[in-house]
């Protein structure tokens, strides 16, 4: 259920950008204003992530899930009222509501995985939870160009086609909101792992959200990961937002194929996510895997950059797929690596801060890459991203890997937890 409503939220993020030339003509606004319909997701996340992670820690998974699904449906219905050329402000406001919904969605994968799944499943579960968001982006690349072909000489037909997309999204997101209310539970009857059993036996009064934030910012490996994750994911956001402009610059009239290339990029990334999740569950080589994927993403972006203008769309499909396999496959790696090196701090807090970093870098990268693409060429914008990803490789190499959660689950490390008697602890763990 979480993966499904996360899918719809991601679909709503990218549905404007992949049709930037269509919506620019429909609303009579510039490409930059259309780019803001994507960047509003990033802008809203940064100031709201700390309140959202506090709410997750204080009120739990179920309420956070309901807020994410409910706001997602509300934003989708507001878009249905913006089906006229003069209503760009309304569609921007509706997208802002969806952006707020995203704040209650992006930080949940690692928390859901830790609360509901055992040590040999947790990385795979996190990858599957992230998968829904990636699949939504993939459908957002594929479906809008098919539903809304560019008809600049028939605005009424364009409005009708956009309406089909908007109303369809609203109906699906509303059904998912009700489904979330029916089936989404707070936690399983018994903790699925040793580490969760310890955390669940800690009295609530022992937890301090403020102290958790302080502890995370004192954790040097986490700070390095915070920056490197922001660079990689921010670069992915920027490439996704500007993909239509990059493709149409070199392949005029290929809006549908631009969407298909975006689909290829994300679907390849979904495969990469699952493979990386399974690999982590099997090997627990978090730093090594993260670093290798980072390096291969850098190589993939270089190849994509210097083959984009060759005039062969099939080459762009292949290089886009390779880039997506590693760049999008990195997302769950960052989440799980953060949980390992920051345990016993809240998974929602560490994931939220990672996502906030990604949004900040995403805003800056999209603005700068968009300017370079418009004023010079797509190659200039992509080289800018390559330089930053190289910096991310260096930062990732500097991270010292201390697998705290894995060590607790393996019995290698014990935590001094207050108010846990031997009997209550045994009753908590044994059913698992």
């Amino acid at each position: 259920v979480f993966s499904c409503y996360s899918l719809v939220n991601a679909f709503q993020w990218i549905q404007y950008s992949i049709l930037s030339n269509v919506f620019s003509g429909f609303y009579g606004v510039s490409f930059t204003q259309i780019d803001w319909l994507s960047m509003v997701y990033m802008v809203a996340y940064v100031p709201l992530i700390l309140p959202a992670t506090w709410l997750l820690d204080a009120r739990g998974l179920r309420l956070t899930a309901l807020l994410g699904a409910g706001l997602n449906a509300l934003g989708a219905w507001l878009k249905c009222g913006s089906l006229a050329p003069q209503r760009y402000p309304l569609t921007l406001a509706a997208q802002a509501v969806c952006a707020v919904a995203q704040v209650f969605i992006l930080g949940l994968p690692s928390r859901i995985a830790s609360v509901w799944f055992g040590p040999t499943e947790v990385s795979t579960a996190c990858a599957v939870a992230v998968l829904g968001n990636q699949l939504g982006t993939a459908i957002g690349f594929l479906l809008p160009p098919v539903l809304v072909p560019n008809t600049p000489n028939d605005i009424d037909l364009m409005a009708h086609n956009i309406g089909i997309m908007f109303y369809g999204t609203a109906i699906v997101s509303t059904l998912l909101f009700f489904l979330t209310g029916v089936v989404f539970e707070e936690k399983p009857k018994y903790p699925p792992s040793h580490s969760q059993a310890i955390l669940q036996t800690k009295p609530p009064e022992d937890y301090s959200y403020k102290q958790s934030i302080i502890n995370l910012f004192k954790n040097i490996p986490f700070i390095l990961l915070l920056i490197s994750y922001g660079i990689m994911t921010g670069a992915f956001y920027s490439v996704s937002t500007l993909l239509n402009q990059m493709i149409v610059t070199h392949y005029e009239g290929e809006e549908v194929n631009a969407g298909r290339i975006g689909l290829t990029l994300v679907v390849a990334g979904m495969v990469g996510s699952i493979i990386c999740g399974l690999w982590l569950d099997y090997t627990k080589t978090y730093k090594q895997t993260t670093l290798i994927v980072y390096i291969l993403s850098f190589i993939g972006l270089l190849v994509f950059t210097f083959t984009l203008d060759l005039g062969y769309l099939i080459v762009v499909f292949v290089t886009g797929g390779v880039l997506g396999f590693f760049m999008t496959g990195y997302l769950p790696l960052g989440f799980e690596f953060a949980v390992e090196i920051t345990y016993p701090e809240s998974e929602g807090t560490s994931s939220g801060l990672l996502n906030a970093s990604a949004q900040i870098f995403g805003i800056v990268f999209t603005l700068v890459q968009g300017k370079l693409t418009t004023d010079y060429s797509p190659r200039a914008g992509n080289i800018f991203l390559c330089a930053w990803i190289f910096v991310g490789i260096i930062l990732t190499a500097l991270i010292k890997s201390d697998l705290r959660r894995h060590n607790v689950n393996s019995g290698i490390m014990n935590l001094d937890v207050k108010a846990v008697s031997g009997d209550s602890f045994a009753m908590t763990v044994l059913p698992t």
Side-chain angles (χ1 to χ4, degrees):
V1 171
F2 168 78
S3 291
C4 286
Y5 76 75
S6 177
L7 179 156
V8 176
N9 184 258
F11 174 85
Q12 295 200 80
W13 164 56
I14 206 67
Q15 66 183 166
Y16 292 102
S17 294
I18 197 59
L19 292 172
S20 54
N21 57 330
V22 173
F23 279 105
S24 175
F26 181 72
Y27 287 117
V29 296
S30 66
F31 279 109
T32 301
Q33 287 173 285
I34 298 301
D35 290 343
W36 272 106
L37 292 171
S38 169
M39 288 190 290
V40 69
Y41 264 57
M42 309 174 202
V43 172
Y45 196 91
V46 177
L48 294 177
I49 185 52
L50 291 182
T53 52
W54 173 85
L55 186 70
L56 175 61
D57 291 335
R59 300 300 299 274
L61 275 175
R62 177 174 166 80
L63 178 63
T64 306
L66 286 170
L67 279 171
L71 288 170
N72 194 49
L74 176 61
W77 282 110
L78 287 174
K79 289 180 183 180
C80 296
S82 66
L83 294 170
Q86 300 80 20
R87 297 179 184 174
Y88 171 81
L90 178 56
T91 211
L92 178 60
Q95 190 74 334
V97 174
C98 295
V100 176
Q102 178 208 215
V103 180
F104 298 102
I105 294 173
L106 285 187
L108 291 191
S110 55
R111 171 64 70 91
I112 293 173
S114 293
V115 170
W116 281 90
F117 294 88
T120 60
E121 307 165 323
V122 64
S123 295
T124 304
C126 182
V128 172
V130 172
L131 195 69
N133 201 268
Q134 295 172 342
L135 182 58
T137 305
I139 296 173
F141 279 126
L142 177 67
L143 203 55
V146 175
L147 293 176
V148 189
N150 193 7
T151 56
N153 298 322
D154 193 342
I155 296 298
D156 290 337
L157 177 59
M158 188 181 291
H160 172 75
N161 292 333
I162 294 172
I164 292 173
M165 179 170 67
F166 282 174
Y167 277 103
T169 306
I171 292 169
V172 171
S173 58
T174 302
L175 290 174
L176 286 169
F177 170 61
F178 286 116
L179 191 59
T180 303
V182 171
V183 307
F184 207 100
E185 298 181 25
E186 183 66 35
K187 60 184 178 181
K189 184 177 181 180
Y190 301 112
S193 65
H194 189 176
S195 57
Q196 276 298 303
I198 291 175
L199 292 179
Q200 290 183 22
T201 51
K202 291 181 70 175
E205 58 269 18
D206 284 358
Y207 176 75
S208 167
Y209 180 71
K210 178 181 176 181
Q211 188 58 47
S212 180
I213 295 290
I214 293 172
N215 291 342
L216 288 173
F217 278 104
K218 286 182 177 179
N219 187 327
I220 300 302
F222 177 72
I223 294 300
L224 293 173
L225 181 62
L226 187 70
I227 299 171
S228 61
Y229 182 90
I231 291 171
M232 175 65 79
T233 311
F236 169 70
Y237 290 161
S238 183
V239 169
S240 300
T241 301
L242 300 170
L243 185 63
N244 173 273
Q245 295 177 43
M246 285 191 278
I247 300 301
V248 173
T249 297
H250 296 298
Y251 305 91
E252 189 174 349
E254 294 288 355
E255 291 88 358
V256 173
N257 273 322
R260 290 171 180 165
I261 291 167
L263 173 70
T264 303
L265 187 149
V266 179
V267 169
M270 290 161 56
V271 176
S273 293
I274 295 298
I275 291 175
C276 289
L278 291 169
W279 177 256
L280 287 186
D281 277 333
Y282 179 72
T283 66
K284 305 301 179 184
T285 54
Y286 290 87
K287 177 179 175 178
Q288 297 92 322
T289 304
T290 302
L291 183 59
I292 291 170
V293 170
Y294 220 115
I295 292 171
L296 293 174
S297 297
F298 172 72
I299 295 171
L301 185 57
L302 277 177
V303 174
F304 177 80
T305 299
F306 289 100
T307 58
L308 183 62
D309 59 354
L310 292 181
Y312 300 100
L313 270 173
I314 186 63
V315 174
V316 184
F317 272 96
V318 173
T319 57
V322 173
L323 176 64
F325 182 88
F326 296 111
M327 183 176 276
T328 316
Y330 172 85
L331 303 183
L333 291 179
F335 280 156
E336 283 299 286
F337 196 13
V339 173
E340 288 295 335
I341 63 179
T342 61
Y343 180 86
E345 305 303 334
S346 166
E347 302 92 344
T349 307
S350 61
S351 297
L353 290 174
L354 288 180
N355 282 319
S357 174
Q359 310 301 331
I360 292 170
F361 278 103
I363 294 167
V364 174
F365 287 171
T366 302
L367 289 173
V368 176
Q369 188 187 8
K371 182 69 172 173
L372 291 171
T373 299
T374 302
D375 292 353
Y376 299 98
S377 68
R379 177 175 292 185
N382 285 331
I383 290 174
F384 166 78
L385 291 185
C386 288
W388 274 100
I389 291 178
F390 184 76
V391 173
I393 292 173
I394 297 172
L395 295 177
T396 303
L398 295 175
I399 298 174
K400 291 183 178 180
S401 180
D402 181 13
L403 306 185
R404 301 180 181 183
R405 181 180 62 179
H406 171 64
N407 291 339
V408 169
N409 286 329
S410 302
I412 298 172
M413 179 174 73
N414 294 314
L415 292 180
D416 180 18
V417 181
K418 297 178 182 178
V420 181
S421 69
D423 290 342
S424 65
F425 184 73
M427 291 173 65
T428 303
V429 174
L430 284 175
T432 309

